[in-house]
Amino acid sequence: MSDEIRIAFVDGHADVWRLFDDPAQLREIVEALVEPFRGDVTKVAGIESRGFILASALAERRAKGFVPIRKKGKLPPPVVDIAYDLEYGTGVLEMQAGEGRLLLVDDVLATGGTLGASVALSRQAGYVVHGIGVLIDIGIAPGFRCEEHVPRTVLQYP
């Protein structure tokens, strides 16, 4: 990745929106995320909401299908759901059932709770999780792995 890519933190949250504003940076991010998984996936799943942007760009770039993983009540039924613990409470994620080798994509790896729930949900929904791609690992969960998957991260902070 380019040395020019910097992330600002606003109220304790990584502000990745400006990375998406620059086409060259966005292209570089998408290529870095997809490179380890070339030819090995049939669909790309994006975790709400910034994961949608990255996952849909990866899916388009590699001519793969896009699968959204959303908060409860945002997808038309039928859906498969999973409850999980957040840093500040609990949440429910949903996705529609399907099949294929899936690459999961999200913007930030913090504690790993959302990624772990998304892996479990994807399997419940009929997918085989092939890999996990994350834009930024903010260093809260060093050495995080989800089952046999170590997320491929593009940027490490701090």
Side-chain angles (χ1 to χ4, degrees):
M1 288 300 306
S2 167
D3 290 337
E4 299 171 13
I5 296 178
R6 299 281 184 259
I7 301 297
F9 285 82
V10 178
D11 295 328
H13 298 283
D15 176 14
V16 301
W17 292 112
R18 66 190 182 96
L19 296 178
F20 302 152
D21 185 48
D22 180 322
Q25 283 190 131
L26 183 57
R27 186 176 313 106
E28 191 174 352
I29 289 165
V30 168
E31 284 302 316
L33 280 168
V34 79
E35 181 62 34
F37 308 105
R38 286 186 187 274
D40 295 333
V41 299
T42 56
K43 295 189 180 184
V44 182
I47 302 170
E48 188 166 335
S49 70
R50 294 178 297 197
F52 291 173
I53 296 165
L54 295 167
S56 60
L58 268 72
E60 189 281 330
R61 174 77 60 136
R62 296 292 163 234
K64 308 297 181 189
F66 169 74
V67 179
I69 296 177
R70 302 220 49 197
K71 294 175 185 167
K72 185 172 181 68
K74 303 291 184 179
L75 289 172
V79 296
V80 178
D81 67 10
I82 191 166
Y84 70 109
D85 292 326
L86 298 162
E87 304 87 66
Y88 48 85
T90 58
V92 176
L93 293 174
E94 296 180 333
M95 72 188 304
Q96 295 173 323
E99 58 184 34
R101 293 182 317 275
L102 197 64
L103 171 61
L104 286 174
V105 178
D106 205 0
D107 64 326
V108 175
L109 169 58
T111 65
T114 302
L115 282 173
S118 296
V119 168
L121 175 62
S122 297
R123 290 186 177 173
Q124 265 181 247
Y127 294 97
V128 174
V129 177
H130 184 72
I132 301 171
V134 179
L135 175 56
I136 307 166
D137 179 349
I138 61 173
I140 294 175
F144 173 81
R145 51 184 311 118
C146 190
E147 299 175 13
E148 71 274 15
H149 302 289
V150 176
R152 161 68 165 112
T153 57
V154 177
L155 302 170
Q156 301 285 324
Y157 283 91

